[in-house]
Amino acid sequence: MAAVHSLDRIVFTVPDLAAAERFYAAFGLRTEMADGELALFTDGNPHCWAVLHEVRGQPKKLQYLSFGCFEQDFEAIAQNAEMHRLTTCEPHPLSRIAGLSGDSQDAAQSLWLQHPEGFPVQIRPAPKSSPTQKSVASRDPVVPEGRGAAPNRARVPQVRPRRLSHALFFSGDVAGAVAFYEQALGLRVTDRSSDVIVFMHGVHGSDHHLLALAKSDGPGLHHLSWDVASVDQVGMGMEQMLIAGHERGWGVGRHVLGSNYFYYVRDPWGSYCEYSFDIDFVPYGFDWPSADHPLEDSFYVWGPRVPEDFVKNYETTPQHAPEVTADEITPS
């Protein structure tokens, strides 16, 4: 079917771009900043995964999402959106800035749809940035007998993620958001736990989820997940962020749905970046056996206790408590 192949770019605003640059550089991303725009890259990859703009005095806010599709699928996707009577909208003003992202987001061949919760979603022909096969783990060097295998702490290199794996977004209407992504983008549900959390993958081959949706009191960005090459890199990523002064996080642990090992570190505005290793993969043409899992068996297999505000949406009014608390999704 005609469907997008990648979550190509996430665009959001923050109140302090310099603080954002320090955080993402410490995390291990390649950052480029100029003229009020911060672009995020992974080491050795020219693709721009996210763009941040500065709005002083305002909280962090998701501005728009951009999805990539194959050139030959674009017209069919547009026709499908019209058939489902999805609402089109004007390009987001920030999309007119070519800047450090390397290309103009306001391409002539681009479809802009209004998400049911108010933010724009762009669909445009673009090279596939999602993986075409499961990520390969790095091979540790063989250590001869009689020598220690662990590296010297002072010589541990910085963990540098390989690519964006997925993003998790808050939603005040998970069912409505799922229907939108199915109709507009051709994404499919991989796994879910009622309307509390839903994982969606791309039909052209993607990780267990390109995006996930978590129940809240409105839209927002919960986390960006970045693929690393080993469980050891997940732990070393945790350590490098602790050394950098970012002490709030969750992990190391292992998820149930997606199966990946994780460590989440909290950014200066209450959302997270995740080091992720060994996530499940849905190949092209594969019919994943989607299931609705019990809430207590959908979050994590093992790991430390979940921070109390891990599922709080800081993009909505601060006094609004999230509809689901961490205690509700902690295994008994």
Side-chain angles (χ1 to χ4, degrees):
M1 64 177 294
V4 301
H5 54 58
S6 305
L7 173 54
D8 203 58
R9 192 162 301 152
I10 300 102
V11 179
F12 56 104
T13 49
V14 295
D16 187 343
L17 214 55
E21 196 279 333
R22 290 192 295 271
F23 174 83
Y24 290 109
F27 187 81
L29 300 180
R30 181 167 62 86
T31 62
E32 295 185 16
M33 184 165 64
D35 301 324
E37 176 181 331
L38 175 68
L40 303 182
F41 302 84
T42 48
D43 201 36
N45 192 324
H47 185 77
C48 175
W49 303 102
V51 177
L52 291 72
H53 296 264
E54 184 173 87
V55 179
R56 288 279 181 177
Q58 297 294 321
K60 177 184 68 69
K61 183 176 177 61
L62 175 66
Q63 294 294 331
Y64 73 90
L65 303 177
S66 182
F67 291 86
C69 69
F70 293 119
E71 180 80 35
Q72 61 268 29
D73 285 344
F74 180 76
E75 288 301 327
I77 291 172
Q79 292 171 9
N80 194 55
E82 183 177 1
M83 180 185 71
H84 285 99
R85 299 182 179 179
L86 301 178
T87 303
T88 58
C89 64
E90 291 296 313
H92 193 286
L94 292 177
S95 71
R96 302 180 188 280
I97 302 174
L100 295 168
S101 58
D103 58 0
S104 175
Q105 294 294 301
D106 194 23
Q109 192 178 28
S110 187
L111 173 66
W112 287 87
L113 299 174
Q114 190 80 6
H115 189 280
E117 294 187 276
F119 58 88
V121 172
Q122 181 191 33
I123 305 167
R124 66 188 182 108
K128 191 175 189 290
S129 57
S130 62
T132 55
Q133 62 184 9
K134 184 178 175 67
S135 288
V136 177
S138 65
R139 292 186 177 182
D140 294 329
V142 176
V143 178
E145 291 185 9
R147 294 181 59 185
N152 188 308
R153 180 179 173 90
R155 297 177 182 174
V156 172
Q158 185 187 37
V159 173
R160 301 188 68 82
R162 300 182 289 189
R163 59 175 176 83
L164 181 71
S165 173
H166 61 266
L168 187 147
F169 303 102
F170 289 115
S171 175
D173 178 12
V174 172
V178 168
F180 173 81
Y181 290 121
E182 288 176 330
Q183 295 169 4
L185 308 178
L187 298 185
R188 293 181 180 174
V189 173
T190 323
D191 287 296
R192 69 188 306 151
S193 185
S194 186
D195 67 341
V196 175
I197 183 119
V198 179
F199 302 94
M200 306 190 75
H201 67 273
V203 299
H204 294 289
S206 78
D207 286 341
H208 177 270
H209 44 290
L210 277 179
L211 62 82
L213 300 161
K215 187 176 182 179
S216 182
D217 55 350
L221 172 64
H222 179 270
H223 76 261
L224 301 176
S225 178
W226 304 88
D227 174 73
V228 295
S230 67
V231 176
D232 204 29
Q233 286 196 5
V234 174
M236 290 190 299
M238 173 187 71
E239 188 66 13
Q240 80 184 28
M241 293 307 282
L242 291 173
I243 292 171
H246 300 283
E247 297 186 351
R248 300 192 65 177
W250 179 46
V252 173
R254 189 180 189 189
H255 283 302
V256 178
L257 305 181
S259 305
N260 52 310
Y261 300 91
F262 65 83
Y263 178 73
Y264 295 85
V265 59
R266 181 170 164 168
D267 70 20
W269 305 284
S271 54
Y272 293 84
C273 266
E274 178 190 20
Y275 294 105
S276 171
F277 168 67
D278 203 27
I279 192 168
D280 294 329
F281 186 78
V282 184
Y284 170 74
F286 184 79
D287 188 11
W288 182 274
S290 177
D292 190 348
H293 302 264
L295 195 59
E296 66 274 11
D297 194 32
S298 64
F299 198 13
Y300 67 108
V301 184
W302 54 265
R305 292 285 294 178
V306 186
E308 187 175 332
D309 63 347
F310 185 72
V311 290
K312 183 173 177 62
N313 185 356
Y314 285 93
E315 292 189 39
T316 55
T317 308
Q319 62 264 30
H320 287 177
E323 297 181 33
V324 180
T325 66
D327 284 343
E328 291 180 77
I329 52 179
T330 300
S332 56

